[in-house]
Amino acid sequence: MPRSLSITNSDPAKIPRQNNLPIPPSSPTGQQKQMPAHHPSRPRSPLAGPSTGPCPPFPIPLSGPIVKGFGRGSRELGIPTANIPLAGLSVGGHEEVESGVYFGWAGVDVDDQGRRQKGGGGDGNVGGVWPMVMSIGWNPFYKNSVRSVEVHILHGFAQDFYGARMNLLILGFVRPEYDYVDKESLVEDIRADIEVARRSLEREAYARLKDNPYLLQFEGGEHEQEIAN
């Protein structure tokens, strides 16, 4: 079942924020709706991001609580996602990020089965960190009228964990947003995105960022307050 994420600010003292994010060249901001790119016929690159590691504006930190989404990721596509309201990007100072697919690490205050973990404070004993791939865009296949953000964690959890807290560390750009002629083509590309993210994060310059303390430093009640608002 899809999970949605409402963003709060991360601690800028731990990871500097960058506002010079990639913007579609035909638009003054990434928020303005663009015609989706056609899927290219050429083979895709097996990796994303330079081998030396993330370069500006990455890494980009985002955090917030997980709440219920539309339900399409699990029900229709078989790929659970966390849907992040675009307003959260504005809160985080990232409203101009280009539509497309990104990869990085996700820290969540649950165990590897999806059970909530008590405590916090980034002591390394609460929660876990997993690879993730995420899309930011209009979902042209579903003809969305608003831009959305969806995160897929590369781990099979035994249960849902709505209300859990998540910290994202976005490390690079995978590809632009595409439109598709059918659901099968969409699923095929998402699965390719997952493998690109997995391979990209296996490189030492990206793998070592899994240990960034930020990913397991969960804040308190403001996450639940975001859900209430």
Side-chain angles (χ1 to χ4, degrees):
M1 185 177 295
R3 319 185 230 303
S4 298
L5 183 65
S6 178
I7 294 173
T8 60
N9 282 319
S10 303
D11 186 350
K14 297 183 179 67
I15 303 178
R17 292 195 175 279
Q18 300 285 347
N19 290 323
N20 56 330
L21 302 181
I23 302 172
S26 57
S27 169
T29 73
Q31 286 193 24
Q32 295 188 9
K33 190 169 186 178
Q34 302 295 307
M35 293 297 292
H38 293 292
H39 191 286
S41 57
R42 64 182 182 276
R44 292 184 54 178
S45 171
L47 295 169
S51 60
T52 53
C55 58
F58 306 105
I60 301 171
L62 300 174
S63 65
I66 298 172
V67 297
K68 289 186 178 181
F70 292 110
R72 292 190 302 225
S74 292
R75 185 182 67 246
E76 297 186 20
L77 305 179
I79 303 171
T81 60
N83 301 318
I84 305 175
L86 187 64
L89 288 177
S90 298
V91 171
H94 307 303
E95 67 272 14
E96 293 184 346
V97 65
E98 178 182 358
S99 291
V101 178
Y102 297 80
F103 72 98
W105 295 104
V108 190
D109 65 344
V110 299
D111 65 14
D112 60 4
Q113 297 298 306
R115 295 182 292 255
R116 290 295 303 276
Q117 301 294 286
K118 303 298 181 182
D123 57 11
N125 298 320
V126 177
V129 178
W130 295 275
M132 68 87 180
V133 61
M134 62 185 292
S135 69
I136 301 175
W138 301 91
N139 279 323
F141 181 76
Y142 287 103
K143 298 178 172 59
N144 285 6
S145 60
V146 295
R147 203 162 172 245
S148 64
V149 180
E150 298 173 297
V151 178
H152 173 68
I153 299 175
L154 279 62
H155 180 78
F157 295 99
Q159 63 187 56
D160 296 320
F161 38 90
Y162 301 121
R165 290 167 287 172
M166 177 186 285
N167 295 330
L168 300 176
L169 194 59
I170 306 171
L171 301 182
F173 183 76
V174 176
R175 63 168 175 85
E177 179 178 48
Y178 299 134
D179 197 1
Y180 298 90
V181 296
D182 53 45
K183 184 171 65 177
E184 290 71 24
S185 298
L186 170 61
V187 171
E188 180 181 0
D189 232 21
I190 293 174
R191 296 202 179 280
D193 296 334
I194 291 171
E195 291 309 310
V196 169
R198 193 189 309 275
R199 286 190 295 265
S200 298
L201 289 168
E202 288 174 349
R203 293 172 296 178
E204 198 276 334
Y206 295 86
R208 65 188 180 199
L209 292 172
K210 179 179 180 179
D211 297 325
N212 191 305
Y214 154 77
L215 288 164
L216 291 175
Q217 288 174 339
F218 304 110
E219 299 174 356
E222 66 272 12
H223 293 274
E224 286 66 31
Q225 185 62 39
E226 286 290 328
I227 294 177
N229 290 338

